[in-house]
Amino acid sequence: MNGDAASTHPMWFPPDHPLVVRVRGLCMPYPEAVEAISHGRCTFRAGKRQFAIVGSAAEPAVLFVPDDLERPVLLERDDVFVPPYEGAYGWLALRIEPDAGDWELLGELLDTSYRIVALQRQLRALDERDA
């Protein structure tokens, strides 16, 4: 993990927080996945491009890049919202607690998010791993 902007932003969900630990378990198996702290939050990246962010305005949530076709359906859910700042760039967030919430759905959303931002070589490595 690196600390870009970590010194200027308070940590909302530190690396040892149960929500971060659980999200890390979903994100780190992806090819070339990297965890980094940015603006007081743990982020997960496909190389340099973020595909998951833990926490939204200190709320237990995980931000992700949705599939454009799934976006309207996701926004009908009570536990999905447009997060401040990242929402302007197409991101959505799923409210979730470490011990409650739809973790199966979150796994699917993170998979989609990774596939949207990943490089072709990362997608090939993922397909080879899954074959």
Side-chain angles (χ1 to χ4, degrees):
M1 289 186 296
N2 68 32
D4 67 328
S7 62
T8 59
H9 294 276
M11 285 298 297
W12 293 346
F13 295 90
D16 61 347
H17 188 281
L19 181 59
V20 175
V21 171
R22 190 128 187 221
V23 172
R24 182 182 296 124
L26 293 172
C27 293
M28 291 309 291
Y30 285 98
E32 299 181 46
V34 175
E35 181 177 350
I37 295 174
S38 179
H39 298 91
R41 294 184 287 177
C42 293
T43 67
F44 297 89
R45 303 168 185 212
K48 295 182 180 180
R49 299 185 68 195
Q50 294 182 133
F51 70 97
I53 303 171
V54 178
S56 176
E59 181 174 2
V62 178
L63 285 66
F64 59 93
V65 180
D67 177 273
D68 288 339
L69 296 176
E70 294 175 352
R71 184 182 182 82
V73 174
L74 289 168
L75 285 170
E76 291 178 9
R77 296 177 56 102
D78 291 337
D79 55 355
V80 173
F81 64 98
V82 177
Y85 183 71
E86 292 89 353
Y89 301 95
W91 288 68
L92 292 179
L94 176 70
R95 281 184 198 88
I96 196 157
E97 296 284 346
D99 56 352
D102 196 337
W103 282 91
E104 184 176 332
L105 172 63
L106 181 60
E108 293 170 8
L109 295 172
L110 292 176
D111 185 74
T112 298
S113 188
Y114 177 88
R115 290 174 184 275
I116 289 171
V117 306
L119 300 172
Q120 289 300 313
R121 74 167 184 268
Q122 294 164 333
L123 294 174
R124 282 192 301 273
L126 181 60
D127 290 341
E128 290 170 9
R129 181 194 78 184
D130 292 345

